[in-house]
Amino acid sequence: MTILVTGGAGYIGSHTVLQLLMGGDKVVVVDNLDNSSETAIKRVQELAGERGKNLTFHKIDLRDKPALEKLFASQKFNAVIHFAGLKAVGESVQKPLMYYDNNLVGTIVLLEVMAAHGCKNLVFSSSATVYGWPKKVPCTEEFPIGATNPYGRTKLFIEEMCRDLYQSDKTWKIILLRYFNPVGAHQSGYIGEDPRGIPNNLMPFVQQVAVGRRNALTVFGSDYGTKDGTGVRDYIHVVDLADGHLAALAKLSDPSVGCEVYNLGTGKGTSVLEMVSAFEKASGKKIPLVMAARRPGDAETVYAETDKAERELKWKAKYGVDEMCRDQWNWASKNPYGYEAPTK
Ligand code: NAD
Ligand code: UDP
């Protein structure tokens, strides 16, 4: 198959592209490199060995309709995996129009061009953020969904847009994947997460403390009603998550699929302190902590019900937090400044 991957130079995208190549697919990546480096593409190509030649890269912004039209006119895609989007919650509160423009307009343009070229198979990156602060856990796909910030609202709107699109034209096949908390890196330590600026997410921040780029981790809230008072999340190894996309692609060829939603998580909840301690064990580094107030908008406990993905996608996460931390440290220690060397 030939798969178009939008946002394929990014964290989850690069790991998924590698798994696709290793599975024998041809991959075309479209990315504007807004939050990523072309080095990630080169490294994926190297890791794929002989199969690296099946990867091509186009620096295109999804909102550039003529450029996307040209690409679709030049070759046929069996399906699209759509990762491209901005994802920083805090930034989305400061710059909502930028988020609506990038995420919503980018997706609308993509869907229009796909439809015009008869490619109606889509896998989309949604997020557990649509569950908000769930009334109970684990979260099932049937839970009510909502959003508490512009980033989350773009995920919610795109999900709804996809459902409307399918209702209007039943020849679409769409799988919406609600990711829980992706962490870790490919076992080679050659690709991994490399956020620009101050990391918003827990593990990229912990990793930067471990390599000496930051002094201490600020723990957002220690008064939650959880085992140790800190927030609980469902951390999932990025390679497991990448494999979930291959399972979703396979599912698209099932005639019964219309517009479906699946959680991609492990079904296990881990607190901030448990995660820090697993990382300290894996890295041998002490992570100094500063206890602080809760972060506005954060939920107490979020983890996935994984039954539906296991049953219908025949996919289940293989790795636990120790392996996630081992692989994250392997990447961090080999690439303390991510894909780029420090400038000074
Ligand atoms: P990432 O920032 O590493 O990757 C996203 C990629 O999209 C980047 O390479 C960026 O340059 C590109 N991009 C952004 N806007 C674009 C545009 N208009 N045109 C072309 N390329 C564009 O993020 P990630 O962690 O790999 O996340 C991938 C997707 O999964 C995103 O949609 C994100 O919202 C979603 N998601 C991520 C998480 C997480 O914790 N990482 C959790 C749930 C959902
Ligand atoms: N967190 C923290 N310090 C940080 C970043 C995150 O204590 O610098 C906590 C956060 O409050 C939450 C957990 O770590 O309980 C996971 O946060 P992240 O932003 O990675 O994911 P999300 O909240 O989007 O699930």
Side-chain angles (χ1 to χ4, degrees):
M1 293 209 297
T2 302
I3 312 296
L4 176 69
V5 180
T6 77
Y11 173 45
I12 308 170
S14 55
H15 288 81
T16 304
V17 169
L18 179 57
Q19 298 304 92
L20 288 168
L21 293 171
M22 298 318 283
D25 290 317
K26 286 202 167 107
V27 182
V28 175
V29 167
V30 162
D31 198 303
N32 64 3
L33 302 180
D34 221 53
N35 195 39
S36 51
S37 160
E38 202 174 337
T39 309
I41 296 286
K42 296 207 174 76
R43 292 197 181 179
V44 166
Q45 239 150 5
E46 283 170 34
L47 284 170
E50 193 41 35
R51 291 173 175 183
K53 67 177 187 318
N54 292 331
L55 171 59
T56 50
F57 171 66
H58 299 266
K59 185 170 185 283
I60 293 177
D61 188 299
L62 279 189
R63 292 162 295 178
D64 182 350
K65 197 170 185 179
L68 212 55
E69 278 282 359
K70 205 168 142 197
L71 181 65
F72 272 80
S74 73
Q75 60 187 305
K76 210 174 139 29
F77 300 111
N78 299 94
V80 174
I81 307 183
H82 178 32
F83 291 105
L86 298 174
K87 62 163 186 177
V89 172
E91 187 185 46
S92 81
V93 174
Q94 302 303 319
K95 300 176 181 171
L97 295 182
M98 184 169 105
Y99 271 67
Y100 291 130
D101 179 41
N102 192 82
N103 294 5
L104 298 186
V105 176
T107 302
I108 292 168
V109 169
L110 174 69
L111 294 173
E112 284 173 345
V113 176
M114 287 175 70
H117 292 268
C119 172
K120 297 184 180 175
N121 295 326
L122 176 75
V123 175
F124 172 65
S125 306
S126 188
S127 166
T129 190
V130 299
Y131 295 122
W133 184 318
K135 286 207 174 69
K136 55 178 187 172
V137 278
C139 301
T140 73
E141 286 84 350
E142 290 74 39
F143 274 22
I145 55 175
T148 54
N149 56 68
Y151 164 71
R153 245 178 304 279
T154 67
K155 294 296 173 197
L156 186 69
F157 291 165
I158 294 170
E159 281 206 8
E160 301 293 16
M161 226 154 65
C162 288
R163 281 185 273 270
D164 288 340
L165 184 61
Y166 172 69
Q167 284 309 319
S168 74
D169 174 357
K170 298 276 167 71
T171 63
W172 277 91
K173 286 175 171 291
I174 302 176
I175 293 187
L176 308 169
L177 297 175
R178 292 185 184 148
Y179 310 156
F180 283 68
N181 294 60
V183 298
H186 186 258
Q187 281 85 345
S188 62
Y190 208 45
I191 56 172
E193 187 167 16
D194 181 20
R196 301 241 158 112
I198 302 168
N200 300 287
N201 296 112
L202 177 67
M203 293 314 282
F205 202 105
V206 167
Q207 161 184 328
Q208 292 195 4
V209 175
V211 299
R213 289 170 64 181
R214 311 207 176 262
N215 295 330
L217 171 74
T218 306
V219 177
F220 298 135
S222 49
D223 59 347
Y224 286 112
T226 58
K227 43 196 149 187
D228 56 26
T230 64
V232 167
R233 294 291 183 275
D234 185 338
Y235 296 94
I236 173 167
H237 198 296
V238 67
V239 173
D240 273 333
L241 191 67
D243 285 336
H245 292 75
L246 274 66
L249 278 183
K251 182 73 180 172
L252 285 177
S253 58
D254 178 336
S256 71
V257 170
C259 182
E260 281 295 330
V261 182
Y262 294 98
N263 286 339
L264 293 185
T266 65
K268 293 186 188 72
T270 305
S271 74
V272 173
L273 295 183
E274 286 173 332
M275 209 56 195
V276 168
S277 134
F279 189 86
E280 286 182 336
K281 201 172 89 192
S283 63
K285 301 277 177 189
K286 184 87 197 131
I287 306 295
L289 303 178
V290 175
M291 305 314 267
R294 295 180 181 191
R295 187 169 61 176
D298 269 2
E300 180 170 277
T301 299
V302 187
Y303 57 88
E305 173 59 73
T306 58
D307 276 5
K308 189 177 176 197
E310 281 176 37
R311 212 175 43 244
E312 297 184 15
L313 300 181
K314 316 271 179 264
W315 168 91
K316 190 178 179 350
K318 293 193 285 282
Y319 302 112
V321 293
D322 290 337
E323 287 136 326
M324 298 175 210
C325 291
R326 176 198 67 198
D327 294 338
Q328 178 127 13
W329 175 240
N330 186 34
W331 153 253
S333 54
K334 287 178 178 159
N335 305 271
Y337 286 86
Y339 289 112
E340 317 295 341
T343 44
K344 61 183 171 80

